[in-house]
Amino acid sequence: MTVLMLTIFTVMVAISSQYPAGARFMTFVVGFPAIALCLLQLVLDVRDFRHEAARGAGGEMAAVPADVSGVPVDPSLQMQMQMNAAGLTVEHTPEAARKEMIVWGYIFGLIGSILLFGFYITVPIFLVVFLRFYAKARWPMAILLPAAVSAFLYVMLGYVFRMTLHIGFVTEYLLDRISG
Amino acid sequence: MIEIMFSSLYAMLTSPSTMGLMLLAVFFGLIVGVTPGIGGRLSIALAIPFVFGMEMIPGAVFLLTMHAVNGTSGQISSILFGVPGDGDDAATTIDGYPMAKKGEAGRALGASITASGVGGIIGAIVFAIMIPVLEPIVLSFSPAEFFLLAVLGITFIAFLAGGNQIFKGIIVGLFGMMLATIGTDPYTATPRFAGDMLFLWDGISLVTAVLAMFAIPEMVALAIKGGSISAVSMETANFSYRQLFQGVLEVPRHWWLVLRTSIIGAIIGMVPGLGGSAAAWMCYGHAVQTSKHPERFGKGAVEGVIAPETASNAKEGGSLLPTLFFGIPGSSGMAVLMGAFLILGIQPGPAMLTTHLDVVWTLMWALIVGNLIAVGFLLFINRWVAMLTFVNATMLVPFILVLAVSGAYINEGQWQNLVVLLVISIVGYGLLRFNWPRAPFVIGLVLGRISEESLHKALGLWGWQFFTRPLSLVLIGLIVATIAFAIYRGRTPPPRYAEQMGVSS
């Protein structure tokens, strides 16, 4: 992540160096300290990596709330509180990596399909496919829920908020061809 | 000031649209608070596209109310199932869950819901009292200080990430500031990083960036993690309304504790960098230390439920002060809320006291009225709201993804924003995956443009000497002290949890 950040800042600073002095001022004010911090973070990452390697696999568990102000905490709660303190994190396991790829596949598919075929076609299909094949919902649930939610979404956006959703490049092309 | 204060209340109560939006916000806020995987921060991010284009006051009331009542329902799963919804609720679990196991779930819920509402109201009152006190300080700030305040805001939010993450947090904040430079430069009209892409000439859409940084990565993580919040039965949720009412009466019975912990919570909320759960933990510790029978705590003492709940909701009023007047949000939720306020045209700073005082007072009233409605609602429907904790989180993911993608599109009606959403989501997920803080990004992005303008103005007025102005020196001192303390904290071994949370034994 540090390398990615360093690359982003370096590229942006390099690009902005071609701008007039007034335009590049802020990018330099932000970019140079950011590059310096990225380099510092990189050093810290390498140091931490070496420490981890020296300590061996397993590492050290985070502090578990054994007591609060002298009050003993139920052991069954300690793990939950520890997980809670850690927030929504992703495990670094092969199973998690596989699921990660699948979920990102769905997201790329959703956005790509919206761009090509529009919201009206993509959203119901995406919801049905995700619910049935990823969330393992039963067919009735996987069809009825998306139908209800899609209808609600279109009524809310189209009639209440008077918003027009993207209809998709392919759909637009086909509609143009049909209408002559 | 008094006249504006009460006219704001009158205007709010007599506006059917504002009150209707507030009711909707209470409803959604309570539901979101108890639904697995959707925190207050994410709910604000998802709501932003729908308030975009609304008038300033109704939009702000909607978002603030939703944010404020979020924590009120979060405690339900803490008490009934021993599963805290977020950091604020963890302290409530210590005594709330043992109460439920003893068959006193109704009493615990009645006490915690009422305490939470009362805490929110007292927090709003503390906010109101502090406005005249802070007025001269806020008005003494010049453009020079606003640039440094932006840097201080990023530093404080980075500090919240804990451990030795301060540099990561600042880097992420600077990344937000760097993205804020995309678009036409206000001084030379050069299109920075935009080239021929006209949709970028106005800058990156804030709505898209916030959704990309929070909604998509969190949904990916939730889809991988899956499951529901509770795997235990609803048996503990069987209680009578009589028991619930007994719990409600515990709050006036412990009025002195409620008052103390509310004030402590509000004051903690005013200090950016202490974090949301610090208020709850400190007040839990305070309740233990001041009790005549500390041995009852951890075994189902009702004071152990009341103290953290009042504090965690009272801090919302307190944390509005630095957010509205200095542009320094006290928590990551407030950071997203501040971004939403900016979209509505509410710019933090002295203007809040000079031209938008009516907005300030309306927000204070929204906290009070919103909490009252939330308590009334929740006391009656908490048993049904608790059912939401059994929802399989994976089932929610596709709907929230669709909501996020729709939100990114509808705020500007440009398909290119979907591509921007995808690109920033990948970076956002990378940050989540490798445990980098994401909240500083929002601060950097929302304050980027303001700080650029402030920096240019300050340099025009004082040259580089603006760094030596007394207030600038104070702010620089605070930035350095925060970083130094974060480094010191990162180097010392982790203490016991209670001490980490600021609770001294």
Side-chain angles (χ1 to χ4, degrees):
Chain A
M1 208 58 220
T2 314
V3 174
L4 175 69
M5 283 291 167
L6 183 61
T7 311
I8 291 172
F9 284 119
T10 310
V11 169
M12 289 184 90
V13 167
I15 292 172
S16 66
S17 63
Q18 294 156 12
Y19 298 149
R24 68 175 179 239
F25 175 68
M26 190 64 180
T27 56
F28 280 9
V29 166
V30 175
F32 283 117
I35 289 171
L37 280 173
C38 284
L39 290 170
L40 179 63
Q41 185 60 45
L42 210 56
V43 173
L44 292 174
D45 288 348
V46 170
R47 194 196 63 176
D48 288 348
F49 180 75
R50 282 187 182 159
H51 281 190
E52 286 288 322
R55 235 182 4 215
E60 198 178 294
M61 284 285 284
V64 178
D67 69 89
V68 176
S69 209
V71 177
V73 176
D74 187 331
S76 65
L77 292 180
Q78 289 178 26
M79 191 54 74
Q80 283 164 357
M81 287 156 76
Q82 189 181 344
M83 281 162 64
N84 178 70
L88 198 57
T89 53
V90 179
E91 288 174 18
H92 296 250
T93 60
E95 176 59 16
R98 190 185 68 82
K99 281 187 174 177
E100 211 168 34
M101 297 303 288
I102 294 170
V103 177
W104 275 108
Y106 274 107
I107 293 170
F108 272 85
L110 171 68
I111 292 176
S113 180
I114 286 172
L115 292 175
L116 294 175
F117 305 106
F119 278 91
Y120 299 100
I121 295 171
T122 305
V123 167
I125 295 174
F126 169 77
L127 292 175
V128 170
V129 172
F130 194 100
L131 284 177
R132 180 70 189 99
F133 298 105
Y134 189 84
K136 307 284 182 215
R138 290 183 182 167
W139 272 115
M141 172 83 99
I143 289 172
L144 288 176
L145 213 54
V149 171
S150 302
F152 176 76
L153 193 71
Y154 297 147
V155 168
M156 281 294 284
L157 295 180
Y159 293 97
V160 180
F161 290 107
R162 305 244 170 233
M163 289 165 178
T164 314
L165 292 172
H166 181 63
I167 61 165
F169 302 121
V170 172
T171 315
E172 194 177 9
Y173 172 77
L174 289 175
L175 287 174
D176 282 349
R177 289 293 295 263
I178 291 166
S179 62
Chain B
M1 192 180 265
I2 301 283
E3 195 187 324
I4 301 174
M5 185 177 161
F6 287 103
S7 63
S8 304
L9 174 66
Y10 180 75
M12 189 179 82
L13 293 176
T14 53
S15 162
S17 61
T18 309
M19 286 307 291
L21 279 170
M22 187 185 272
L23 283 173
L24 259 181
V26 169
F27 179 73
F28 284 123
L30 292 177
I31 288 199
V32 161
V34 80
T35 308
I38 315 175
R41 196 175 56 184
L42 178 58
S43 63
I44 297 288
L46 287 170
I48 293 174
F50 299 96
V51 298
F52 187 75
M54 262 189 202
E55 279 182 40
M56 192 186 280
I57 289 181
V61 164
F62 177 79
L63 292 172
L64 180 68
T65 310
M66 198 159 88
H67 177 77
V69 306
N70 213 266
T72 310
S73 58
Q75 67 212 249
I76 292 178
S77 60
S78 307
I79 291 170
L80 293 183
F81 315 117
V83 183
D86 60 26
D88 294 15
D89 302 319
T92 311
T93 316
I94 297 174
D95 277 283
Y97 188 49
M99 278 182 83
K101 284 204 286 191
K102 284 195 294 186
E104 294 181 349
R107 189 165 153 251
L109 278 174
S112 72
I113 292 167
T114 315
S116 183
V118 173
I121 293 166
I122 296 176
I125 294 168
V126 172
F127 168 77
I129 293 169
M130 288 304 289
I131 291 174
V133 178
L134 280 178
E135 192 175 0
I137 302 169
V138 176
L139 293 177
S140 68
F141 278 77
S142 69
E145 281 79 48
F146 270 93
F147 169 72
L148 290 167
L149 274 175
V151 180
L152 185 63
I154 289 171
T155 316
F156 272 138
I157 287 288
F159 181 78
L160 274 180
N164 51 5
Q165 303 243 52
I166 186 89
F167 295 127
K168 290 180 182 175
I170 297 174
I171 291 169
V172 174
L174 291 175
F175 175 57
M177 280 182 110
M178 197 59 144
L179 289 198
T181 64
I182 294 177
T184 312
D185 169 48
Y187 294 92
T188 63
T190 309
R192 289 184 298 208
F193 309 110
D196 297 330
M197 293 177 283
L198 287 176
F199 82 100
L200 280 180
W201 283 30
D202 285 335
I204 286 211
S205 154
L206 188 59
V207 176
T208 305
V210 171
L211 287 169
M213 194 48 74
F214 294 103
I216 307 281
E218 286 183 26
M219 283 309 104
V220 176
L222 195 62
I224 294 166
K225 198 176 170 189
S228 62
I229 205 170
S230 182
V232 296
S233 74
M234 276 284 282
E235 265 175 41
T236 48
N238 288 326
F239 52 83
S240 64
Y241 278 104
R242 186 190 171 89
Q243 211 187 54
L244 201 72
F245 187 64
Q246 282 174 351
V248 173
L249 291 179
E250 292 291 353
V251 175
R253 200 169 288 152
H254 296 92
W255 68 272
W256 181 228
L257 177 70
V258 170
L259 190 66
R260 284 192 328 256
T261 49
S262 298
I263 293 171
I264 295 171
I267 291 168
I268 291 169
M270 285 176 211
V271 185
L274 273 181
S277 49
W281 286 107
M282 280 186 189
C283 286
Y284 182 85
H286 174 75
V288 177
Q289 285 161 5
T290 54
S291 172
K292 287 175 185 164
H293 304 285
E295 71 282 354
R296 290 188 299 114
F297 284 80
K299 295 166 193 156
V302 75
E303 298 95 315
V305 172
I306 291 173
E309 281 307 321
T310 44
S312 65
N313 222 16
K315 78 167 195 308
E316 298 301 338
S319 62
L320 254 189
L321 278 170
T323 309
L324 286 179
F325 300 129
F326 301 107
I328 303 175
S331 63
S332 57
M334 273 289 165
V336 180
L337 192 65
M338 196 176 89
F341 281 173
L342 274 161
I343 289 169
L344 288 167
I346 300 172
Q347 193 161 318
M352 294 308 300
L353 285 168
T354 50
T355 49
H356 292 313
L357 197 56
D358 57 330
V359 178
V360 174
W361 287 120
T362 307
L363 291 177
M364 186 215 58
W365 289 118
L367 278 177
I368 293 177
V369 179
N371 272 299
L372 280 173
I373 298 172
V375 169
F377 250 25
L378 206 56
L379 282 174
F380 287 102
I381 63 166
N382 63 73
R383 197 188 306 237
W384 296 283
V385 170
M387 302 284 278
L388 283 170
T389 58
F390 289 88
V391 171
N392 182 353
T394 320
M395 302 274 279
L396 297 173
V397 171
F399 299 103
I400 292 171
L401 283 175
V402 166
L403 207 58
V405 174
S406 311
Y409 177 78
I410 59 178
N411 89 91
E412 287 180 355
Q414 287 180 315
W415 63 265
Q416 292 93 334
N417 274 338
L418 299 182
V419 181
V420 174
L421 178 84
L422 195 59
V423 173
I424 301 179
S425 294
I426 294 169
V427 178
Y429 184 69
L431 296 175
L432 184 145
R433 184 85 164 75
F434 296 101
N435 294 324
W436 281 50
R438 286 170 294 149
F441 171 82
V442 185
I443 306 289
L445 192 65
V446 298
L447 295 183
R449 278 278 157 128
I450 303 169
S451 58
E452 181 173 9
E453 281 171 22
S454 305
L455 186 60
H456 277 290
K457 276 183 198 164
L459 286 172
L461 286 170
W462 299 287
W464 289 104
Q465 282 181 328
F466 88 83
F467 279 117
T468 56
R469 285 166 52 83
L471 256 176
S472 299
L473 287 173
V474 170
L475 292 172
I476 292 168
L478 274 172
I479 293 166
V480 173
T482 309
I483 295 172
F485 183 65
I487 294 169
Y488 166 77
R489 188 182 61 176
R491 290 175 72 89
T492 49
R496 288 188 316 168
Y497 196 79
E499 288 160 0
Q500 257 182 329
M501 291 300 173
V503 182
S504 55
S505 330

